[in-house]
Amino acid sequence: MKELFATLRKNRTPYMSFYLFYIVASLILSACVIVGQVLVGDMGQAAFQFDTTAIFQFLLILTGVMVIRAVFSALSVLLLERFTGKVEYSFRVNFANFILRQPFAKFEKTNSGENLSTFTNDLPQAAQLVSNGILLMVSDLMLLFVALGYMFYLNWLFTLIFVAMFPILALLQTLISIPIQKIQKVVTDTRAGFNTVVNDSLQNPATVIAYAL
């Protein structure tokens, strides 16, 4: 997390106000999800008892909760996409400036396909990680915390059993994801090599034609 904030500061991306808003919005959305599920259950109980007055009241409350959820969800998605665009643009501009400041001798030794692969593949993935990846994880954590709070309110003993099993589930997920990450790295390296071959294949004939060699 420290490296994330350092990267954003290095690329001159304002992030603190947006991050605070996104965390608050995630808490509100998480609360709306839990309250909505509770209201649906209560409505089912009222329907079982043929209590039309309670059903109507629950329906009004559920409508209000859904409106709040829709508003904050729309704002979160809109501002998140805007923030992602700013981050990716900042990354691309700083990468271009870095390339332009390189000495020609060093730039000549670097494979053209490597820089092209970094610009077209690595930078968008880095921007997605800094924006979408981290913030979606924060949103899931907010939902988990709110759900755990409500679970403790309902039955603290069963909730403690669930929390005790959570590290085991996280370990299993990590063990499964490690081979996938290795395969993803191989795919990324292969794509970079393919981009190198394609770029050199297209650039060399163009150079020959341009200089009539």
Side-chain angles (χ1 to χ4, degrees), residues 49-187:
Q49 297 174 356
F50 297 101
D51 190 349
T52 56
T53 302
I55 293 175
F56 182 72
Q57 293 176 350
F58 285 137
L59 186 60
L60 289 178
I61 299 174
L62 183 62
T63 302
V65 171
M66 291 298 103
V67 170
I68 296 174
R69 181 179 176 183
V71 170
F72 278 93
S73 179
L75 288 175
S76 298
V77 172
L78 177 63
L79 294 179
L80 178 59
E81 292 298 324
R82 183 179 179 184
F83 180 73
T84 303
K86 289 182 178 180
V87 171
E88 185 171 348
Y89 175 77
S90 177
F91 280 16
R92 291 184 182 276
V93 169
N94 290 332
F95 180 77
N97 292 332
F98 172 78
I99 292 297
L100 293 175
R101 288 195 298 266
Q102 294 297 309
F104 181 76
K106 183 178 180 180
F107 184 76
E108 189 177 17
K109 294 179 181 178
T110 305
N111 198 313
S112 58
E114 181 179 348
N115 292 328
L116 178 63
S117 178
T118 301
F119 189 80
T120 57
N121 297 320
D122 296 344
L123 288 183
Q125 290 183 7
Q128 290 293 326
L129 175 63
V130 170
S131 55
N132 278 329
I134 299 297
L135 291 177
L136 291 178
M137 183 178 66
V138 170
S139 179
D140 292 339
L141 286 176
M142 294 298 104
L143 180 58
L144 177 62
F145 291 152
V146 174
L148 283 177
Y150 184 72
M151 289 169 63
F152 272 110
Y153 171 75
L154 292 179
N155 192 313
W156 64 270
L157 181 58
F158 287 160
T159 305
L160 286 179
I161 295 174
F162 171 77
V163 172
M165 294 178 60
F166 188 78
I168 300 176
L169 298 176
L171 179 61
L172 290 176
Q173 182 181 4
T174 303
L175 294 176
I176 295 174
S177 63
I178 289 176
I180 298 177
Q181 291 177 355
K182 292 181 180 179
I183 295 174
Q184 185 177 6
K185 183 178 184 302
V186 173
V187 171

Side-chain angles (χ1 to χ4, degrees), residues 110-117 121 189-204:
T110 305
N111 198 313
S112 58
E114 181 179 348
N115 292 328
L116 178 63
S117 178
N121 297 320
D189 294 339
T190 304
R191 182 185 299 175
F194 177 76
N195 288 336
T196 300
V197 174
V198 172
N199 185 69
D200 291 341
S201 299
L202 296 177
Q203 185 177 9
N204 293 336

